[in-house]
Amino acid sequence: MKDTVLEVKDIKKEFVVSRFGRKKKIYALNGVSFDLKKGEVLGIVGESGCGKTTLGRVISKIYEPTSGECILNVEGKEIDIAKLDEKKFRSYRKYIQMIFQDPFASLNPRLTIYTTLYDVLKAHGIGNKDYRNELIEKTIKEVGLENYHLFRYPHEFSGGQRQRISIARALILNPDIIIADEPVSALDVSIQSQIINLMLDIREKFGVSYIFISHDISVVRYISDKVMVMYLGFAVEKAPVDVLFDRPLHPYTKALLSAILTPDPKKERTRKKMILQGDVPDPSKIPMGCVFADRCPIKKDICEKVKPEEREIEKDHFVSCHFA
């Protein structure tokens, strides 16, 4: 489709770890698929260790995928970046940028903000010195900072300001896709809202698409157009944001949504909550059947023996569950 900027098809990622001289495989991603349209925000939620960050890093080529396709639609061409090595991918890197969870750790403490942004443009061979300076000044203002901030170092900024700088570093290349990995989790609540609104303003102005990774389901609901719920490296449910929150079908999605607190103390005390029992399975030993079977309140014998196929229950609402 012409308005689709990214198609991820059956992406898998395995890590080999060595403990006490023994090697074993960790199955971090197990066949994740989705598409992302121009100007769209895809929210990805799930427990720690479900593969959210790994998926973002595979798409941005920080990690190489074990198998699968990752088709980027730019310049009128469809490029499977999963098949490109680092040298060939370099010319396409500017189309996919990433904002990390910890802005302080992702900025070089020895470089001023000006140098950080200038080096990005220089590395991609964009413009001459005058053009780069003009673009840097324009971009820093787009994220709510001033020119005098450019000649300061990262430690001289607050957490919210550093995240604005990280957004500027991603935005300055005019990307089609920005992957935001927990971009507001380390910030105060009041600052979180400022950063979220800034990201939405940037989407409106530049038409950028986001992959927004977060534990905070309320934030995901506010910013996203559609949501993908992940569990143990699988996408167990995908749906438009209002559909998923109003009519969740997978038991794991229902459990996540039941964990959201309501602002009314009386309702909160009487509200029925879905408490999951047990722990997430070992990612080096993926169960034969449904990966959620050990913790599922509605499981039956088939769940432990047969892996559920992804089904479209209603338009654009996909679920991997035998009894959805």
Side-chain angles (χ1 to χ4, degrees), residues 214-228:
S214 180
H215 285 97
D216 193 329
I217 301 175
S218 299
V219 172
V220 169
R221 183 172 192 175
Y222 178 73
I223 194 173
S224 303
D225 297 307
K226 60 184 181 183
V227 181
M228 179 167 70

Side-chain angles (χ1 to χ4, degrees), residues 260-273:
I260 302 175
L261 298 175
T262 58
D264 187 333
K266 291 183 179 179
K267 289 184 178 180
E268 182 60 28
R269 282 194 291 269
T270 58
R271 182 172 64 93
K272 186 178 180 181
K273 302 179 182 66

